Amino acid sequence: MLILGIESSCDETAAAVVRDGQQLLSNVVSSQITTHMPYGGVVPELASREHLRAIVPVVREAVTCAQVSLEQVDAFAVTQGPGLAGSLLVGITYAKALSFALSKPLIAVNHLEGHIHAVLLEHRQSTNAEIALPALALVVSGGHTHLYLVNRSGTTQWSYQNVGHTLDDAAGEAFDKVAKLLALSYPGGPIIEALAKYGNPHSISMPRSQIKAHEKRRNDVGDSQRRYDFSFSGIKTAVLRFVETNEMRSSIETRRHALAERSNPQPEDFLPQLDSLTLDLIASFQEAVVKDLVSKTLRAAESLEVESLIVSGGVASNRRLRSEFLKQAEMEGIKIFFPSRGLSTDNAAMIAAAAYPKLLARDFATEYFCAEASLALGA
Ligand code: KG4
Ligand code: ZN
C-alpha cells in the first residue's frame, strides 16, 4: 500500500511516499527559512504564499523520486493541525483535490502524531521490528513540548494520553526567542547548538523550573491524573536579565548591524562577532534546557514504568540533547529512540507513516474536513 503524505503546517512544504508504513520511498522538504529569517520568526501570511508556490513541484518531486505515478498511490494523507491555519489549508486543499481527481481515499493526520510515527517508521525500516510499548514520547518542537503515553490495541488502534506539557513557551520557541534576543539567526536551535560548543555550559547559573510531578483533576467525578509539566519562560527571562545586568545591548546591536546584509549567515560568520561572555551565555542556556527536558522526561518514564522512550520534533535534532538523553537513559536502563536528524524537523514521511494504520482501519476523512489550528492529540 502506497501513501503519499503532505505536510504544510508551518514553514516547510513537504511530500513523501511511504510503502506499508515502513518503507520510505521519497522524502522531499522545501524549507522557507530564508524567507522568514529577516523577521526572526515565521510570518504566517508569507508562509501561506510560499506553500502555494512550492506545493505542486514538491509533490511532483516526491512521486518522481519514489518512481511511482500518482495513479499508483493508494491514499493521500495530509496534516490537519495543529499549525498555522493558512498554511495548513494549502496542503489540505491540494490533498483534497488529488483525492477527488483520482478517486482515492484521504486521511487526516495530527502533526504531533506524525512526529511520533517518524520514529516508529525508521525503527521498522531498519530493524523490521516494533518499538516495545507502552512508550513515553516527548514531542519537542517550536510549537510543542508534550509528553504522551503511547500504546496500541490490535494492529491499527493507537492511543496517546497527554501526561505533560509546557505551561508557557515550547522548548524550540525558547531557542528561537533567545537567538532573536542575542541577534543570532532564525531558527534559533541550530545556530545555538553550533555556537554552544565554544562556550562554557556551566559558567552561568540558570534557574531550574520548580514544577514537580503533580495530580490534576480530570473530570467532575474527581478522577485525577499525574502530570509531568515543563516551563521554559524562567530560563528565557534569566537570559534577558543577564543581558541587561551585563550591559550587552550595544554589542548585540553591533552584531545585528554587522550581519544584516548576509542572507543566510553561518556559525563562522557569527563567531568573530561574539565575545566569550556571550558564548558562555549561549552554552549555559542550551545546557539548562537540555537538563530540564532530560530530567523531567526520565522521571516521568520511570514512574509510568514504560518499555521505551521516544524523543521527536525539531529540538530532538540537538546533539547535546541526544547525548544527555542517551547517557541518562542508559543509566536508568530505559531504551530510547530518536528519528534521524532529517526526520526530526517537519517532514511528510511522518504524516504518511501515521496514516498507514488509519488506512488499514479505513478511517478516512470526508471532503468537508477542515484545518484545525489548535488540534489536540489524544486524551
Ligand atoms: O518540528 P519543527 O521542525 O517544527 C515545529 O513543529 O515547530 O521544529 C522547529 C523547532 C524550532 O523552534 C527550532 O529552533 C528547533 O525546532 N530546532 C532546534 C534544533 N533544530 C531545530 N532546537 C535545538 N537544537 C537544534 N539543533
Ligand atoms: Zn513539527
Side-chain angles (χ1 to χ4, degrees):
M1 292 285 225
L2 293 177
I3 299 183
L4 174 90
I6 294 177
E7 151 68 34
S8 68
S9 65
C10 191
D11 58 348
E12 258 107 25
T13 319
V17 179
V18 174
R19 174 175 283 138
D20 295 338
Q22 61 176 353
Q23 193 188 358
L24 183 54
L25 300 186
S26 66
N27 182 33
V28 179
V29 180
S30 164
S31 173
Q32 306 174 359
I33 282 178
T34 48
T35 304
H36 302 291
M37 207 174 252
Y39 308 95
V42 178
V43 182
E45 178 63 27
L46 294 181
S48 315
R49 270 190 242 170
E50 291 300 315
H51 285 305
L52 274 174
R53 238 192 285 270
I55 190 83
V56 174
V58 163
V59 169
R60 209 170 276 163
E61 194 181 335
V63 285
T64 307
C65 289
Q67 298 186 312
V68 298
S69 67
L70 279 174
E71 288 73 19
Q72 285 173 288
V73 168
D74 293 287
F76 297 102
V78 65
T79 307
Q80 180 177 17
L84 300 169
S87 293
L88 289 164
L89 274 173
V90 176
I92 291 174
T93 310
Y94 195 63
K96 279 185 183 177
L98 285 172
S99 148
F100 181 71
L102 295 159
S103 304
K104 309 270 173 151
L106 181 62
I107 300 166
V109 175
N110 185 307
H111 180 84
L112 301 169
E113 183 176 17
H115 274 304
I116 296 170
H117 280 261
V119 184
L120 302 170
L121 161 70
E122 290 194 305
H123 186 72
R124 253 176 237 135
Q125 182 162 267
S126 61
T127 65
N128 218 7
E130 294 289 326
I131 288 176
L133 300 172
L136 181 69
L138 170 67
V139 180
V140 60
S141 68
H144 300 90
T145 304
H146 275 60
L147 277 175
Y148 295 101
L149 189 57
V150 180
N151 221 332
R152 188 177 67 170
S153 55
T155 48
T156 60
Q157 279 307 312
W158 286 86
S159 66
Y160 310 94
Q161 188 187 343
N162 178 336
V163 292
H165 65 235
T166 177
L167 301 177
D168 37 61
D169 291 343
E173 191 182 353
F175 272 96
D176 296 339
K177 286 179 177 170
V178 165
K180 192 172 181 178
L181 170 73
L182 299 178
L184 307 176
S185 55
Y186 176 83
I191 186 73
I192 286 180
E193 174 180 353
L195 296 172
K197 53 179 179 283
Y198 299 99
N200 176 354
H202 308 293
S203 55
I204 299 166
S205 89
M206 294 275 157
R208 297 290 291 273
S209 94
Q210 296 302 314
I211 307 166
K212 303 254 179 315
H214 57 282
E215 300 293 327
K216 190 172 170 200
R217 259 180 75 167
R218 291 185 73 189
N219 53 33
D220 292 343
V221 218
D223 284 353
S224 66
Q225 186 199 50
R226 203 156 175 74
R227 305 277 314 164
Y228 307 88
D229 292 330
F230 300 92
S231 164
F232 297 102
S233 69
I235 300 175
K236 188 190 65 185
T237 309
V239 174
L240 179 60
R241 215 173 300 124
F242 190 88
V243 164
E244 304 295 355
T245 315
N246 292 277
E247 295 174 357
M248 296 165 92
R249 286 278 182 193
S250 67
S251 69
I252 290 175
E253 287 318 312
T254 309
R255 182 161 57 249
R256 208 182 296 283
H257 281 113
L259 292 158
E261 299 303 312
R262 304 234 172 201
S263 69
N264 190 8
Q266 299 301 305
E268 51 279 16
D269 300 318
F270 284 100
L271 269 176
Q273 309 284 338
L274 290 160
D275 54 32
S276 65
L277 192 65
T278 311
L279 288 167
D280 286 349
L281 181 61
I282 290 168
S284 302
F285 161 75
Q286 173 176 269
E287 194 64 11
V289 175
V290 164
K291 286 278 166 59
D292 199 71
L293 285 169
V294 173
S295 63
K296 293 228 175 75
T297 304
L298 276 161
R299 222 176 299 143
E302 238 176 284
S303 65
L304 291 163
E305 297 181 355
V306 292
E307 295 289 330
S308 325
L309 192 53
I310 290 171
V311 184
S312 192
V315 182
S317 59
N318 185 287
R319 290 184 182 85
R320 174 71 195 110
L321 181 74
R322 286 179 182 230
S323 70
E324 186 65 17
F325 256 124
L326 283 167
K327 186 173 115 198
Q328 299 295 337
E330 191 183 344
M331 276 161 58
E332 304 287 343
I334 298 176
K335 287 196 203 75
I336 185 161
F337 303 91
F338 302 94
S340 59
R341 278 170 60 96
L343 289 202
S344 296
T345 45
D346 289 349
N347 64 85
M350 67 187 200
I351 302 304
Y356 182 61
K358 298 182 204 293
L359 174 60
L360 294 180
R362 305 188 62 74
D363 179 5
F364 301 138
T366 71
E367 66 267 38
Y368 302 110
F369 97 92
C370 234
E372 281 201 38
S374 310
L375 187 65
L377 176 64

